[in-house]
Amino acid sequence: MTASIKANMNDVLRYPVLGARRLSNYWWATVVTLGATGFFLASLSSYLHINLLPFADPTSLIFIPQGVAMGFYGVAGILLASYLWVIITLDVGGGYNEFNKETGKVRISRSGFFGKNRKIEIEHPLDKVQAVRVDIREGINPKRALYLRIKGRTDIPLTRVGQPLPLSELENQGAELARFLQVPLEGL
């Protein structure tokens, strides 16, 4: 929820939500891919006695147990890297929050995994919105999030998962949303 898009003379408020396509995920997917490939090629080199790595000579490794262990770590790393690349490609968690006074609806959309539930969409009437809630917890695992309190439902999270938003940005977005929806802002 970094930037809001306003259209039609302040009747629509839309916040894009960053999903899995963030720099840190690209970084870790690349690092894990390179490391896992190195381990796997070292294992293969020790088995075939052919040097497949240009920067080392793993042919001198004994295949059992060293080559097998490196092969295990290589395969495990390749599986982890594949998972990371799939969630980046699908942009899991990405989407938008749209508040539309013209239609009188709140629409929350997120991307999911494969299958019937690839797109997760929640739609509610604006008149059912009771409040915008700010949840701030500091400590080892800090949490700073905005929630939409809707009558008859559990609170719906509006912010991205992952690194918490800066406090000033969270307060500004919460205040802007509460003002737009003309509901109270809770938690501050």
Side-chain angles (χ1 to χ4, degrees):
M1 235 168 99
T2 56
S4 65
I5 300 169
K6 299 174 191 168
N8 300 338
M9 299 188 339
N10 297 327
D11 285 341
V12 178
L13 186 62
R14 185 177 174 133
Y15 293 103
V17 177
L18 181 65
R21 291 183 184 161
R22 56 184 99 166
L23 186 61
S24 63
N25 285 350
Y26 282 107
W27 165 257
W28 287 115
T30 303
V31 167
V32 170
T33 300
L34 293 174
T37 303
F39 272 96
F40 186 72
L41 289 177
S43 173
L44 217 57
S45 293
S46 75
Y47 180 73
L48 299 173
H49 297 290
I50 299 170
N51 189 4
L52 300 173
L53 290 172
F55 52 85
D57 186 20
T59 56
S60 61
L61 293 175
I62 302 168
F63 181 69
I64 295 178
Q66 294 167 326
V68 172
M70 293 186 92
F72 172 76
Y73 290 128
V75 169
I78 289 170
L79 291 174
L80 175 62
S82 299
Y83 168 76
L84 290 171
W85 287 115
V86 166
I87 66 166
I88 288 169
T89 302
L90 295 176
D91 194 25
V92 173
Y96 62 88
N97 304 324
E98 182 179 275
F99 307 91
N100 192 329
K101 287 184 178 178
E102 291 175 355
T103 62
K105 301 249 183 215
V106 172
R107 184 183 193 113
I108 297 167
S109 177
R110 300 288 187 276
S111 297
F113 282 101
F114 301 108
K116 287 190 253 180
N117 298 330
R118 168 80 175 101
K119 280 288 186 188
I120 301 162
E121 297 203 6
I122 300 172
E123 199 170 286
H124 282 284
L126 279 176
D127 58 356
K128 298 282 186 186
V129 176
Q130 292 179 319
V132 175
R133 184 171 66 86
V134 178
D135 186 16
I136 301 171
R137 281 185 250 149
E138 298 298 334
I140 294 174
N141 190 17
K143 182 178 182 179
R144 295 185 201 124
L146 281 178
Y147 291 89
L148 194 63
R149 180 161 290 158
I150 295 180
K151 195 179 300 181
R153 277 201 64 133
T154 58
D155 293 353
I156 300 172
L158 298 176
T159 49
R160 67 181 184 197
V161 176
Q163 185 174 356
L165 294 171
L167 195 54
S168 61
E169 186 178 335
L170 185 73
E171 289 172 347
N172 290 338
Q173 286 178 3
E176 178 185 24
L177 185 56
R179 209 173 16 258
F180 179 81
L181 296 173
Q182 297 173 349
V183 295
L185 179 63
E186 299 177 348
L188 285 180

